[in-house]
Amino acid sequence: MALNNTYDARLQQETAVGAGVQLLLLALLGTAIGMGPAGWLTGLAFAFATWAVLARALHRSPLRSFGPANRVTLGRATLVGGVTALVADSFESAPPVTLLVGLTAVALLLDGVDGQVARRTGTSSALGARFDMEVDAFLILVLSVYVATQLGPWVLLIGGMRYAFVAAARLAPWLNAPLPPSFARKTVAAVQGICLLLAGAELLPHLANLAVVLLALGSLVWSFGRDVRWLWRISRMPVEPAAEVKVLELAAR
């Protein structure tokens, strides 16, 4: 019991350090751009929520070490917290586009690093995969909020689609079935961040930005539609045939 408490204390210390780094980044951003109340409050709320949710998840997990991959993901979460604060602040004053794009670009570039680190160090875990996914999803949501101010509220469909899927799964449990790995799904997910970043950077004409974001939304609808259709088919089959189809799908993808 004492050993387990020691491991738990170490894990909680890791999350506390992450929260401290998040506060430091907010302080640096506040000093650099004179961030207003909306940015500060949103950034602080993000830091507290990340610390609380992660600390609770670690307390319930069998992990004995936070691990290098989760540290990378925590670093990405810190950058996402900075982006979130900047986007919130943009509703009060002109956003520092260069700084916003820079933080977002680094967060996106690190997206594949944590997975590679986990595989190479043998520290892959369900918690780490979920942590990575949630950070990705929230970054897309925040970017869609920012781009929506330029192109219209329909862009929020990109950031909200994953959360709508999670909400729908509470009403339709068959949506909770595990999906087979898919390179296409991972590619579409990566495209969302790239397209939203490109549109948010305002480097292209308005119509070009519109086309880029529409492409992102279209690919996302296709990806979710394909997965929902697959889950529906599996849910309508007997247990044994469903398992057989899943194996075939895995082999095909």
Side-chain angles (χ1 to χ4, degrees):
M1 180 64 70
L3 186 60
N4 289 335
N5 290 337
T6 300
Y7 284 129
D8 186 66
R10 290 178 180 175
L11 292 173
Q12 301 307 325
Q13 287 173 2
E14 296 259 17
T15 61
V17 170
V21 174
Q22 180 72 83
L23 295 178
L24 177 59
L25 176 60
L26 291 175
L28 292 174
L29 292 176
T31 302
I33 67 171
M35 195 160 55
W40 274 107
L41 290 174
T42 304
L44 290 173
F46 177 90
F48 177 78
T50 301
W51 170 79
V53 172
L54 186 56
R56 184 178 181 183
L58 286 170
H59 181 69
R60 294 181 172 183
S61 76
L63 292 180
R64 291 190 170 186
S65 170
F66 197 64
N70 285 332
R71 292 189 185 100
V72 174
T73 308
L74 186 58
R76 288 180 51 234
T78 300
L79 295 175
V80 172
V83 174
T84 302
L86 291 176
V87 170
D89 191 63
S90 70
F91 287 93
E92 294 183 337
S93 60
V97 177
T98 302
L99 185 57
L100 179 65
V101 169
L103 289 178
T104 304
V106 175
L108 291 174
L109 287 172
L110 290 175
D111 185 19
V113 173
D114 43 14
Q116 292 181 4
V117 171
R119 287 187 291 272
R120 291 181 179 181
T121 59
T123 55
S124 299
S125 67
L127 186 146
R130 180 67 181 272
F131 185 24
D132 178 58
M133 181 176 64
E134 295 299 341
V135 171
D136 291 342
F138 195 79
L139 176 59
I140 297 303
L141 175 62
V142 171
L143 290 177
S144 68
V145 170
Y146 180 66
V147 177
T149 62
Q150 305 168 21
L151 300 180
W154 61 271
V155 181
L156 296 175
L157 292 172
I158 295 177
M161 198 170 299
R162 189 258 172 181
Y163 295 99
F165 180 86
V166 172
R170 293 183 176 272
L171 302 175
W174 54 271
L175 290 171
N176 288 312
L179 287 163
S182 170
F183 179 76
R185 188 187 308 116
K186 292 180 181 179
T187 301
V188 169
V191 164
Q192 305 309 304
I194 295 172
C195 289
L196 289 172
L197 176 61
L198 184 60
E202 301 182 52
L203 297 175
L204 302 175
H206 179 79
L207 287 179
N209 284 334
L210 181 63
V212 166
V213 178
L214 282 172
L215 173 64
L217 178 59
S219 65
L220 191 62
V221 170
W222 169 80
S223 180
F224 270 97
R226 187 185 67 157
D227 287 343
V228 169
R229 180 172 175 269
W230 189 87
L231 290 169
W232 174 261
R233 286 171 53 200
I234 293 301
S235 70
R236 297 303 164 191
M237 292 182 177
V239 176
E240 292 184 3
E244 182 179 353
V245 170
K246 184 174 181 179
V247 171
L248 292 175
E249 290 281 352
L250 283 168
R253 296 187 185 193

